[in-house]
Amino acid sequence: MAESTVYTTEQILSSRPVAEPLIANGVRCHGGFDEDGLYHSPRTLCRQPAIEAWQAQLADAGHELLDIPASLMPPQYPNAAQAKLLLRHGVHEPLVRSLTIIAIVEGFGAMIRDVQVPDLGKAFDESLEGTALDHLTRGLFEAHARDESGYRDEGGHKQMWEAARDAALENPKIPGDVLMRLMGRRGQGGAAKPSFPEIGEPLERMLAFMANVFVIEIFAEGTFRWGVDILSDPEVSAAPEVAGGMVRNIQADEKPHVEYLRTALSEVAARTIQTVDGKKISGKKVMDGLLHRILVQMTRSRPSDQRDDLRENLAQAIRSASNPTALQDDFDALDMAWEPPTKTGFEPALDAA
Ligand SMILES: [Fe+2]
Ligand SMILES: [Fe+2]
C-alpha cells in the first residue's frame, strides 16, 4: 500500500522509540540507537515515509527531482591532508576553528523556522493537497530547525559537532573570536535584488532561502566526508570511533533535510506560479533561475570565504610549530587548486518565454 501524503504536525515531528539515547561528551543529543546498535535519526518516524510518498507522487506524474551536480561542490579548506599535517605537528588551532565554525553554522539552521511563508494555496495554479509544500509549516521547517540547533534538553548538530571536536582534540581551547569574525563576514553580503519581481517578494524570498539551504545541505556532504576522514584517523584523533561516529550520525540526519527541500522545490518546478499582475510563469523557470544565481555565487565565494576565515590565524598558528618554514611549505604543497565549473546546469534557456 502506498504511504499517505497527508500528515499532522505532530506526526512529522514524531520519533521512533530508541533503546539507547545518543550521549556525546556528556550532552544528551537527539536520535538514538535501536537494540542492534543501529543509529536512528530523530523525527523520522513519519517524515521519512512522507518524503518518499511525495517523491513517488512527483515521479508518477512524470516530474523529475531537482539535483545539483557534485562537480559544483567546493572543497573544504584546509583539506583533510593539510589538516592532518598540522595536527601531526601539534598545530591544533586552525582545525578547532574550522570545526567551531561548522558547529555555529549548523546552529544557524534554526533560522528556517522563521521563514515567512506566503499563502501558497494562492501562489500556484495546481493544488497543494498532499505535498511537501503543504507541510513546510506543518512540521517540516520545525523538524529541520530542531535537528540543527537542538530542542529543549536535547542537543542537535551544533552540540554534536562540538562534542566530536572536543572528543577528537581533547577539549581544546576555543578561540574567542570565531563567532564575531563569522558574523562580520556574513554581514557584508547585502540583500540580493529580486530575480523574479513578478512573483512577489515574499514568495521569491522564501524560495531563494529554501534553495540556498538546499545547496548548503548538498555541499555539506563534502564537509562530512572531510570530518569523518580527519576525526576517525587514530593518528590525529584522540577518539576516532566516538568522533568519527558522531559525524556519521549527523550525516545521516541531513538526508531528510536534503530530501524534503529537494521535494518541495521540485514541486514548485512542476507547477505554474501566478504572478502578482495576474499572469503566469512556469515554476521551473523560477527554480532554475534562483538555483543558477545561488550556485554561481556560492561556488565563487565559498572557497575564498573559508580561506579568509582562517588565513591570518593559520599563518600565526604555523609559526608556533617547531619548524614553521618547512611546515608552511609542506602545507602549501598539499593545497589543491579548485576552479568552479563554468556552467551550473541551471542556465536560463535562450528561448525561454
Ligand atoms: Fe545539520
Ligand atoms: Fe541540515
Side-chain angles (χ1 to χ4, degrees), residues 106 148 157 250 254 257:
E106 287 269 15
E148 303 293 16
H157 293 171
I250 304 173
E254 302 296 1
H257 300 173

Side-chain angles (χ1 to χ4, degrees), residues 44-261:
T44 50
L45 184 66
C46 296
R47 191 165 43 143
Q48 193 180 324
I51 293 169
E52 286 166 14
W54 296 322
Q55 293 193 343
Q57 178 172 262
L58 273 171
D60 288 348
H63 298 295
E64 283 186 9
L65 288 173
L66 287 167
D67 202 7
I68 308 290
S71 58
L72 292 171
M73 193 190 292
Q76 187 74 24
Y77 179 82
N79 63 45
Q82 289 176 314
K84 289 182 189 186
L85 174 77
L86 296 179
L87 293 175
R88 283 199 302 271
H89 284 81
V91 178
H92 289 178
E93 205 192 323
L95 188 65
V96 171
R97 211 169 256 279
S98 299
L99 293 168
T100 305
I101 291 171
I102 294 170
I104 292 171
V105 173
E106 287 269 15
F108 286 159
M111 287 192 297
I112 196 121
R113 65 157 65 92
D114 299 321
V115 170
Q116 295 294 311
V117 181
D119 186 347
L120 296 179
K122 288 199 183 128
F124 298 100
D125 268 5
E126 300 84 352
S127 160
L128 293 184
E129 172 95 23
T131 59
L133 281 171
D134 199 32
H135 289 77
L136 294 176
T137 52
R138 296 218 315 261
L140 288 175
F141 281 160
E142 183 60 30
H144 188 162
R146 293 182 188 184
D147 289 354
E148 303 293 16
S149 69
Y151 184 61
R152 296 195 171 147
D153 53 356
E154 271 182 9
H157 293 171
K158 178 175 192 294
Q159 294 77 12
M160 289 160 83
W161 274 104
E162 289 167 353
R165 173 198 68 198
D166 295 345
L169 303 174
E170 299 175 283
N171 299 307
K173 185 173 165 290
I174 311 302
D177 62 339
V178 180
L179 178 63
M180 213 177 64
R181 283 185 180 212
L182 195 61
M183 296 308 285
R185 169 161 69 65
R186 284 198 152 214
Q188 290 162 9
K193 267 210 339 253
S195 297
F196 297 96
E198 64 270 44
I199 69 170
E201 208 194 327
L203 183 61
E204 174 163 347
R205 212 177 321 118
M206 180 194 92
L207 294 177
F209 190 92
M210 288 170 67
N212 201 45
V213 178
F214 175 54
V215 173
I216 291 173
E217 294 273 350
I218 289 197
F219 285 177
E221 195 50 39
T223 306
F224 289 111
R225 280 202 298 272
W226 169 91
V228 170
D229 184 354
I230 299 166
L231 299 182
S232 56
D233 181 343
E235 213 194 323
V236 295
S237 169
E241 282 186 20
V242 170
M246 182 63 71
V247 178
R248 278 195 202 92
N249 296 339
I250 304 173
Q251 191 173 19
D253 300 344
E254 302 296 1
K255 188 131 205 299
H257 300 173
V258 171
E259 295 307 324
Y260 93 84
L261 289 167

